[in-house]
Amino acid sequence: MKDIYLDNASTTRVHPQVAEKMMDVLVNNYGNPSSLHRLGIHGELAIKEVRSLIAQNIKCQAQEIYFTSGGTEGNNMIIQGIVENKKRNKMRIITSAIEHPSVLDVFTFYENHQIEVIVLGVDSQGHIDMDELKNAVNEDTILVSMMGVNNELGTIQNLAAIGKIIKSVNPNCIFHADFVQGFMKIPVDVQACRLDALTISGHKIFGPKGIGAVYIKKGTDIKPLIRGGGQENNMRSGTENVPGIVGFGEAIRLRKDCFNDEYEAVRELRTYFIETITATVDDIKINGDPNGSPYILNISFNRVRGEVLLHSLEAKGIFVSTGSACSSHKKEKQYVLKAIGLAEEYKEGTIRISFSKDITKNDVDTAVAAIAEIVPSLRLLVKPRKK
């Protein structure tokens, strides 16, 4: 039985060419990029090449890219680095209610340390209200952090419009976007969006885990979280993860000429999934924006527990998630569904399907047939809620 992996928003399978490039660095070109000999210089040049490649794809300068261990570190590095650098009597920072925990938890930390935190609500599709944002930004606002593509719903925020509003009210306010679910899937232009900082990650695009990067606009003052050897222009000390960086670079190269075409193909697949599942299974809700990222589909089934459905599908070799993998250990797992106002009877029965280039129409047919077989039997075990 072929496994059908529909959890690509959590992580992706490393592409064989990525693994091959990484193995060469691990075994043959393993020098420390800070070393002065040939192997060290080889590593330094490899890092420089990938830095330029990332910059080309988000429209910035290579020296504005800094490597990290991934999205969580990147978001912490930007938010904490800005707040710690700006510390003054009156400070306001703004985000939305559906951000990744690596953003929301940092905001909560600062809320408990006498910093004014504004968390914007979202509508039923997961969009922020632009008027609410405009009213929230003032002269004390030092940072707005907004997720480009929501990791549970796939909702895409209009970063260009958000950037325009922020800068029109307070040109000195730093605008940061968590773009982990969008990088090399949806085009982004950091200059057109007036972004000062952006977070990206490697393992969502068939690259390795443990590697990511941030864009920090030249001239933006950020206090480094990690001090030591002065690597990454003193922004992130520690020996660079050269195998990870090279693998990240290869993953980008493999996608840069095809991700626009892939986007349309995946959208057709997502649409087909929705049409098939709504024709086959009753009493369900499709959450998020229909025009959001085609890579993510969030579905709620009434009178079904999402975790039970997940494991029932797993028994058939079909892998999905009940939400963000990074929220699975949290007490409040459904804060995104709560924020969009999803009815209580649907929250427990929510799963996230996340697509990739490797998913076929036959895979969709198999997955939908399995859900259609499992859901009625699970509903027999659950008593209807009292109204």
Side-chain angles (χ1 to χ4, degrees), residues 15-32:
H15 193 287
Q17 281 181 238
V18 170
E20 190 178 328
K21 289 278 184 182
M22 292 177 69
M23 186 58 75
D24 178 60
V25 177
L26 287 165
V27 175
N28 301 314
N29 292 297
Y30 46 82
N32 186 323

Side-chain angles (χ1 to χ4, degrees), residues 281-298:
V281 183
D282 65 356
D283 209 358
I284 66 174
K285 284 195 180 298
I286 308 296
N287 304 312
D289 182 358
N291 297 313
S293 169
Y295 293 90
I296 296 174
L297 174 59
N298 190 294

Side-chain angles (χ1 to χ4, degrees), residues 66-90:
Y66 302 87
F67 290 104
T68 67
S69 66
T72 292
E73 183 190 329
N75 286 337
N76 273 265
M77 177 179 174
I78 298 296
I79 299 166
Q80 293 188 50
I82 288 168
V83 172
E84 297 300 324
N85 187 64
K86 294 263 185 184
K87 273 203 166 174
R88 60 191 193 208
N89 288 336
K90 289 183 71 177

Side-chain angles (χ1 to χ4, degrees), residues 4 27 35 90 105 118 165 284 306 318 331 366 368:
I4 300 175
V27 175
S35 296
K90 289 183 71 177
D105 281 7
I118 304 288
I165 288 172
I284 66 174
I318 300 166
K331 287 181 182 175
T366 303
V368 171

Side-chain angles (χ1 to χ4, degrees), residues 44-239:
E44 185 183 9
L45 291 174
I47 291 173
K48 186 178 179 183
E49 192 178 327
V50 179
R51 205 185 303 277
S52 295
L53 188 61
I54 294 172
Q56 289 166 21
N57 281 281
I58 65 171
K59 315 294 183 193
C60 70
Q61 299 175 38
Q63 58 266 38
E64 294 174 313
I65 300 297
Y66 302 87
F67 290 104
T68 67
S69 66
T72 292
E73 183 190 329
N75 286 337
N76 273 265
M77 177 179 174
I78 298 296
I79 299 166
Q80 293 188 50
I82 288 168
V83 172
E84 297 300 324
N85 187 64
K86 294 263 185 184
K87 273 203 166 174
R88 60 191 193 208
N89 288 336
K90 289 183 71 177
M91 284 199 294
R92 174 180 286 189
I93 54 178
I94 299 172
T95 191
S96 85
I98 60 170
E99 300 295 309
H100 189 272
S102 60
V103 170
L104 281 177
D105 281 7
V106 184
F107 272 67
T108 301
F109 171 83
Y110 283 120
E111 189 172 29
N112 295 328
H113 287 77
Q114 313 305 315
I115 291 175
E116 187 181 11
V117 170
I118 304 288
V119 179
L120 302 178
V122 294
D123 63 18
S124 61
Q125 293 186 343
H127 295 111
I128 64 161
D129 184 309
M130 296 297 180
D131 289 333
E132 190 182 3
L133 171 68
K134 191 171 184 177
N135 291 332
V137 178
N138 64 13
E139 61 181 11
D140 295 324
T141 309
I142 62 165
L143 170 69
V144 175
S145 183
M146 208 60 64
M147 186 181 256
V149 179
N150 184 263
N151 57 321
E152 294 194 28
L153 303 172
T155 301
I156 300 172
Q157 301 292 350
N158 187 340
L159 296 179
I162 292 170
K164 187 177 180 182
I165 288 172
I166 294 167
K167 299 298 181 179
S168 69
V169 179
N170 181 350
N172 296 320
C173 175
I174 303 297
F175 178 27
H176 164 246
D178 172 353
F179 205 63
V180 166
Q181 294 291 347
F183 182 59
M184 300 310 293
K185 295 177 182 175
I186 297 166
V188 65
D189 182 331
V190 294
Q191 295 184 53
C193 294
R194 305 186 191 194
L195 280 156
D196 301 291
L198 188 87
T199 303
I200 59 176
S201 177
H203 73 105
K204 311 294 188 183
I205 57 166
F206 304 95
K209 297 172 184 63
I211 187 67
V214 291
Y215 150 75
I216 301 173
K217 185 180 176 181
K218 189 178 178 183
T220 304
D221 291 328
I222 290 185
K223 187 174 278 190
L225 296 185
I226 304 174
R227 298 175 185 277
Q231 288 90 344
E232 295 298 289
N233 201 21
N234 283 317
M235 282 301 298
R236 203 265 189 183
S237 289
T239 303

